[in-house]
Amino acid sequence: MPIFRAPDGTRLAFHLRGEGEPLVALPGGPMRASSYLGTLGGLDAHRQLVLLDLRGTGESGTPADPATYRCDRLVDDVEALRRHLGLERMDVVAHSAGGSLALLYAARYPRRVGRLALVTATPWALGRPATAEDRLAAARMRASEPWFADAFPAFEAWLDGTGDFDPVFLPFFYGRWDDTARAHADREEAETNDAAADVYGAEGAYDPEATRSALARVTAPVLVLAGGADGGPAPALARRVAEVFPKAEFVVQPGAGHYPWLDDPQWFTRRVSAFFA
């Protein structure tokens, strides 16, 4: 397991999967260990995945200052990784909350990004969170599922603030609620640093207007991939992320939820590997 140091001295770890040109993977959660990404559906057959454990997660160390869990401050860690890898420019794939980290990195270091793929990326950094209406609309598309009757009321209550998070509605985050999805969901609590997640989007983390302006000058090719069954972000919201960049492709993976590489690994890998090729 390779180790490097952040500018503030925090010990950071990353994991290598596969062979070939490096492809840096930024995990979501927020603040979930990169192990949940697996091989991104077999993407490691095309590129060497560099799975970064953000500070305080996975095999990385805990910082002395918890305020450094904030998304904009994590940009320094991503740049330290690029320097450690010795890359003039790096290709990046970012998932979910990691998409906001990737957006902030591209805004600050546009010349250091080769290609960027944003996978079901929540655009908090652009001031556009997923809405409860989008999530419920996506959830209603699953009405024929055998678990829907129990899951939907709990999901609705959680979104309107009258109920707590309940694992009963986890199926809404997956395009297929099968044994693979269940095992993946079961690991989330152990893989996530909840205290760090609370800081990730704290006040001051994002400056949407400045970020949007900076990204309009990014010349790197960008792929924005949405899941057809995902409500956070819904495809319409993900499309608005693509519109920020001068050179972006937008694609919807049919039937996919928030973890599209699990729902249809072949479709996902074929589309993403073609972009990075």
Side-chain angles (χ1 to χ4, degrees):
M1 179 187 61
I3 297 294
F4 68 106
R5 294 283 174 179
D8 66 354
T10 302
R11 172 183 172 275
L12 300 177
F14 60 93
H15 308 267
L16 299 176
R17 303 282 185 270
E19 305 289 338
E21 292 295 317
L23 174 58
V24 172
L26 302 181
M31 304 307 288
R32 185 172 179 179
S34 66
S35 54
Y36 85 95
L37 295 172
T39 64
L40 286 172
L43 198 56
D44 62 329
H46 304 269
R47 298 288 294 267
Q48 182 180 61
L49 298 180
V50 181
L51 306 174
L52 176 62
D53 280 341
L54 300 176
R55 55 180 54 213
T57 72
E59 301 297 330
S60 287
T62 301
D65 181 5
T68 60
Y69 289 134
R70 208 173 70 176
C71 186
D72 59 321
R73 300 186 67 175
L74 294 174
V75 171
D76 292 335
D77 294 353
V78 179
E79 174 61 5
L81 174 60
R82 182 195 66 80
R83 292 175 177 271
H84 177 80
L85 295 172
L87 298 173
E88 181 69 18
R89 292 188 302 274
M90 62 182 180
D91 290 344
V92 177
V93 56
H95 173 245
S96 189
S100 283
L101 176 55
L103 291 173
L104 294 185
Y105 180 82
R108 193 182 304 177
Y109 296 103
R111 296 183 181 179
R112 299 305 186 185
V113 179
R115 286 176 173 263
L116 171 62
L118 300 169
V119 177
T120 58
T122 311
W124 295 328
L126 299 176
R128 297 193 178 280
T131 66
E133 291 77 9
D134 282 348
R135 293 186 183 276
L136 290 173
R140 290 188 183 98
M141 293 192 296
R142 314 294 294 280
S144 63
E145 301 278 3
W147 41 263
F148 179 87
D150 291 330
F152 188 81
F155 193 46
E156 193 171 31
W158 176 63
L159 289 171
D160 68 18
T162 61
D164 295 327
F165 185 91
D166 190 332
V168 73
F169 57 68
L170 285 173
F172 288 126
F173 293 90
Y174 296 84
R176 295 188 306 180
W177 187 240
D178 54 15
D179 289 342
T180 298
R182 289 185 185 90
H184 189 264
D186 286 345
R187 298 197 306 270
E188 182 174 8
E189 184 175 359
E191 292 174 336
T192 303
N193 183 333
D194 289 329
D198 290 339
V199 179
Y200 190 84
E203 184 177 357
Y206 307 125
D207 184 342
E209 290 305 318
T211 300
R212 190 176 291 108
S213 177
L215 294 177
R217 298 189 294 271
V218 171
T219 58
V222 176
L223 173 67
V224 177
L225 188 151
D230 191 16
L237 178 57
R239 183 185 291 276
R240 300 186 74 171
V241 178
E243 293 170 351
V244 170
F245 293 94
K247 194 176 180 181
E249 305 173 39
F250 173 71
V251 63
V252 178
Q253 180 172 325
H258 200 59
Y259 307 93
W261 64 90
L262 296 178
D263 296 319
D264 189 340
Q266 291 183 334
W267 195 103
F268 177 85
T269 302
R270 182 173 61 251
R271 186 63 182 84
V272 177
S273 64
F275 169 73
F276 282 111

